[in-house]
Amino acid sequence: QVQMVQSGPEVKKPGASVKVSCKASGDSFPNYGISWVRQAPGQGLEWLGWIGTYSGNTHFAQKFQGRLNMTIDTSTTTAYLELRNLRSDDTAVYYCGRLEVAGAADFGGQGTMVTVS
Amino acid sequence: DIQMTQSPSTLSASVGDRVTITCRASQSINTFLAWYQQRPGKAPKLLIYKASNLQTGVPSRFSGSGSGTEFTLTISSLQPDDFATYYCQQYQGYPYTFGQGTNLEIK
């Protein structure tokens, strides 16, 4: 199974930005795209958005419009999530997942803890 | 936004039991539904996509059914590894949304 390897934990101050990376092991990118979700401590899952692997098209949850960006570098099989103007309620584990078809992602990575304090 | 409601929130069961978790959507989502398993400190694991399709590598004791607004995840014979939290997710309309989760615990 192709895993996704994410960047390490981050601690940021309110108002700062964070950029989380997600690299496909074995240099095998998914056919469809990369999905991102997050999970605040002790809470459920929250969908953030996804980016098409080769189209670069993005769909974000409306609540993050203006603060969230997703990019993809096919040459290094790495996807990135950038969240700006961080607030304390952005503290969460951020997961990337492979989309081989639309909608249902395979979250094979370890997650990235982002703490805003 | 499409609201996803799971029941029950907590389910106590024993190894070998057959269990069913229900997920209801606030509007029709056809069969654009996925089920995930999450163990503490781990990433969600995709079990079922398109309501009833078993993800590669997932044991056949897991099955999904339903369409429209009502869906079920069934585990035919619980194994020790199955005690975890389960989430449904719709991907019919943006934003994609998750249910609140069902915590499956050992009785």
Side-chain angles (χ1 to χ4, degrees):
Chain A
Q1 182 183 3
V2 179
Q3 296 294 318
M4 309 300 284
V5 180
Q6 295 185 225
S7 49
E10 302 266 9
V11 179
K12 297 290 184 181
K13 294 194 180 301
S17 299
V18 69
K19 193 168 188 177
V20 177
S21 68
C22 166
K23 180 173 173 57
S25 66
D27 293 330
S28 173
F29 241 359
N31 289 325
Y32 197 84
I34 298 287
S35 179
W36 292 88
V37 300
R38 73 180 184 181
Q39 188 169 39
Q43 302 301 307
L45 299 168
E46 180 176 27
W47 182 79
L48 301 178
W50 69 275
I51 180 168
T53 302
Y54 299 105
S55 68
N57 292 337
T58 54
H59 292 269
F60 302 149
Q62 182 73 23
K63 67 179 283 189
F64 298 105
Q65 291 289 349
R67 291 205 300 140
L68 181 64
N69 195 27
M70 295 176 188
T71 55
I72 205 156
D73 183 343
T74 54
S75 68
T76 60
T77 62
T78 303
Y80 299 91
L81 176 144
E82 182 179 24
L83 190 59
R84 300 179 291 275
N85 194 19
L86 289 166
R87 309 187 291 245
S88 59
D89 62 357
D90 292 319
T91 294
V93 179
Y94 289 73
Y95 294 104
C96 65
R98 301 172 61 88
L99 287 165
E100 299 295 348
V101 294
D106 184 6
F107 295 97
Q110 80 276 26
T112 297
M113 181 70 213
V114 175
T115 302
V116 183
S117 176
Chain B
D1 297 2
I2 299 173
Q3 305 299 317
M4 305 301 292
T5 305
Q6 290 181 230
S7 59
S9 294
T10 303
L11 179 57
S12 297
S14 302
V15 173
D17 284 353
R18 178 185 179 91
V19 298
T20 297
I21 298 170
T22 298
C23 179
R24 288 186 174 87
S26 60
Q27 64 189 73
S28 176
I29 58 170
N30 296 296
T31 56
F32 294 109
L33 184 100
W35 288 99
Y36 295 90
Q37 176 194 68
Q38 188 179 33
R39 299 191 179 96
K42 300 296 186 183
K45 175 185 176 182
L46 179 63
L47 301 175
I48 302 281
Y49 63 94
K50 207 80 176 359
S52 61
N53 293 273
L54 198 65
Q55 174 72 348
T56 302
V58 174
S60 59
R61 63 180 180 272
F62 291 91
S63 63
S65 65
S67 66
T69 61
E70 188 151 337
F71 302 85
T72 59
L73 172 71
T74 299
I75 310 173
S76 61
S77 177
L78 275 173
Q79 299 302 302
D81 268 356
D82 300 339
F83 292 96
T85 300
Y86 292 83
Y87 294 93
C88 61
Q89 179 219 333
Q90 67 80 22
Y91 49 101
Q92 160 71 26
Y94 292 112
Y96 297 166
T97 45
F98 289 91
Q100 82 278 16
T102 293
N103 181 29
L104 178 55
E105 60 181 30
I106 300 174
K107 185 183 287 184

